[in-house]
Amino acid sequence: MVKSGSTIPVDGVVVQGSSYVNEASITGESKPAHKKVLSKVFAGTIVNDGTIVVQVIKIGDETVFGKLIELIEDAQDSQTKEQRFVDKFARYYTPVILVLGIIVALWTKNMETAITVLVLGCPEL
């Protein structure tokens, strides 16, 4: 039984009652969906009003919400070929710019010029 304002904990089918369910976490749709007997409901969605009784179909990682979280985690862990190149490039580029800034400061004895080299070379420093 899932009451108004509660999060549905499982994927399932409504066997009793009716309600409007906020499915934004799954579908991105801002309008609540009307759920009645035999309607499918998903874990992670919120019952806006009413009370429904849900027959469990899937729990935990097998739910739509669980699979969505897994896909997001996989996407965050994987890097493209370009991202790996940029990370490798930055590993050498940043120290080279720092050394260049020090050399410019020692050679010109002008701190403003050295700082300009650092800012132009690595604006995120």
Side-chain angles (χ1 to χ4, degrees):
M1 178 181 289
V2 186
K3 296 181 180 180
S4 180
S6 298
T7 302
I8 299 173
V10 296
D11 283 0
V13 176
V14 176
V15 292
Q16 184 180 343
S18 69
S19 176
Y20 283 93
V21 176
N22 181 345
E23 295 181 330
S25 60
I26 301 293
T27 64
E29 178 64 44
S30 61
K31 291 176 72 176
H34 184 257
K35 299 297 179 176
K36 56 187 178 193
V37 175
L38 298 180
S39 295
K40 289 185 178 182
V41 292
F42 305 105
T45 58
I46 300 169
V47 176
N48 281 355
D49 58 32
T51 299
I52 55 175
V53 177
V54 177
Q55 180 180 357
V56 177
I57 294 176
K58 295 179 183 174
I59 61 170
D61 292 341
E62 296 300 315
T63 64
V64 171
F65 191 70
K67 290 180 182 180
L68 184 63
I69 296 297
E70 186 178 320
L71 285 171
I72 291 169
E73 288 173 349
D74 288 347
Q76 288 175 337
D77 290 342
S78 66
Q79 283 189 333
T80 65
K81 182 177 159 185
E82 291 79 11
Q83 287 172 319
R84 286 191 298 273
F85 172 78
V86 168
D87 288 345
K88 190 174 183 180
F89 181 78
R91 189 176 318 144
Y92 299 106
Y93 178 76
T94 304
V96 166
I97 294 299
L98 288 172
V99 169
L100 183 62
I102 293 170
I103 290 170
V104 167
L106 294 174
W107 186 49
T108 64
K109 305 230 187 286
N110 185 339
M111 194 57 80
E112 287 180 9
T113 305
I115 291 172
T116 301
V117 168
L118 290 175
V119 169
L120 292 176
C122 294
E124 65 275 345
L125 282 179

